[in-house]
Amino acid sequence: MACPAAGEELPRPCCNGYSELSSAEARRALVRYGPEEAAEGGELPALEDAYLSILQRLGENPARQGLLLTPRRAAKAMQFLTKGYQETIEDILNDAIFDEDHNEMVIIKDIDMFSLCEHHLVPFFGKVHIGYLPIKKVVGLSKLARIVEIFSRRLQVQERLTRQIALAITEALKPAGVAVIVEASHMCMVMRGVQKMNSKTITSTMLGVLREDPKAREEFLTLIKN
């Protein structure tokens, strides 16, 4: 049975709540792609097959109406959540570094961050605070948020994410110092395991003057609290 066209009614569920489609028919429906999906790359069908296998191994029936397109949706979601693998710092900076006679602290705080724990593939999310001491070069403020996005949209651990952001800013701007603090809640500690609902993890990376000079570091820490 082919995937229903726009406006067509999906098969009605049987008395057990499952769709009347067989698993084989459901699979044939799933592998039909429109032009936009076909253009998204050759990895999507393989990811979709993997999610289909997961549903089957969990004891679910991928043929039932609610799960019929779940493997495809999950595959596309995973591609979005890990799109940072396809992006580079050079691409996003793209002429956004400017000569400027400014040598005082630049801070952008409370940048929303969402990532996936590489140990359990469940989310962790929170805020990122970034500060740097420029040496006659500044970067467009939105680009700092984009740098966070590149590294957070990968399978991560918070400690590495924090350092990657700081090193990327250092390499791009060659500033006197960089500071990055990440505060996050980890669903691997909330939804499973120890199940501590209110726990937060805080990590920091300080480079250059912001590591070596206590006064500069204290200025950064004070400003992000205010």
Side-chain angles (χ1 to χ4, degrees), residues 109-206:
K109 66 178 188 175
D110 295 328
I111 302 169
D112 291 325
M113 177 278 298
F114 302 88
S115 192
L116 287 178
C117 165
E118 67 180 32
H119 300 143
H120 301 98
L121 299 186
V122 294
F124 67 94
F125 57 91
K127 303 287 186 182
V128 179
H129 315 297
I130 296 172
Y132 72 96
L133 279 167
I135 303 178
K136 299 188 180 300
K137 286 188 182 297
V138 298
V139 67
L141 296 178
S142 68
K143 301 304 182 182
L144 295 176
R146 291 291 303 277
I147 289 173
V148 172
E149 184 83 357
I150 282 180
F151 291 111
S152 62
R153 295 300 188 187
R154 302 178 182 185
L155 304 184
Q156 278 288 10
V157 296
Q158 185 174 325
E159 297 88 340
R160 182 172 68 238
L161 171 63
T162 308
R163 185 162 181 81
Q164 284 178 333
I165 294 168
L167 290 175
I169 296 168
T170 298
E171 184 176 344
L173 292 178
K174 305 294 190 294
V178 172
V180 177
I181 291 179
V182 178
E183 306 176 46
S185 297
H186 290 249
M187 292 300 99
C188 58
M189 288 185 64
V190 173
M191 298 172 63
R192 57 164 300 283
V194 293
Q195 300 181 60
K196 300 303 181 186
M197 298 293 294
N198 299 312
S199 65
K200 280 193 175 181
T201 301
I202 301 175
T203 51
S204 70
T205 295
M206 309 282 178

Side-chain angles (χ1 to χ4, degrees), residues 85-122:
Y85 289 120
Q86 313 303 323
E87 299 172 328
T88 67
I89 299 299
E90 292 76 15
D91 291 338
I92 66 109
L93 289 181
N94 191 26
D95 300 325
I97 297 177
F98 308 102
D99 295 326
E100 192 67 43
D101 188 19
H102 181 79
N103 60 2
E104 298 296 330
M105 187 91 66
V106 177
I107 292 175
I108 179 168
K109 66 178 188 175
D110 295 328
I111 302 169
D112 291 325
M113 177 278 298
F114 302 88
S115 192
L116 287 178
C117 165
E118 67 180 32
H119 300 143
H120 301 98
L121 299 186
V122 294

Side-chain angles (χ1 to χ4, degrees), residues 56-72:
Q56 292 169 332
R57 295 293 181 178
L58 290 174
E60 263 291 359
N61 177 6
R64 67 182 177 89
Q65 186 180 28
L67 294 178
L68 186 62
L69 295 179
T70 294
R72 181 177 299 177

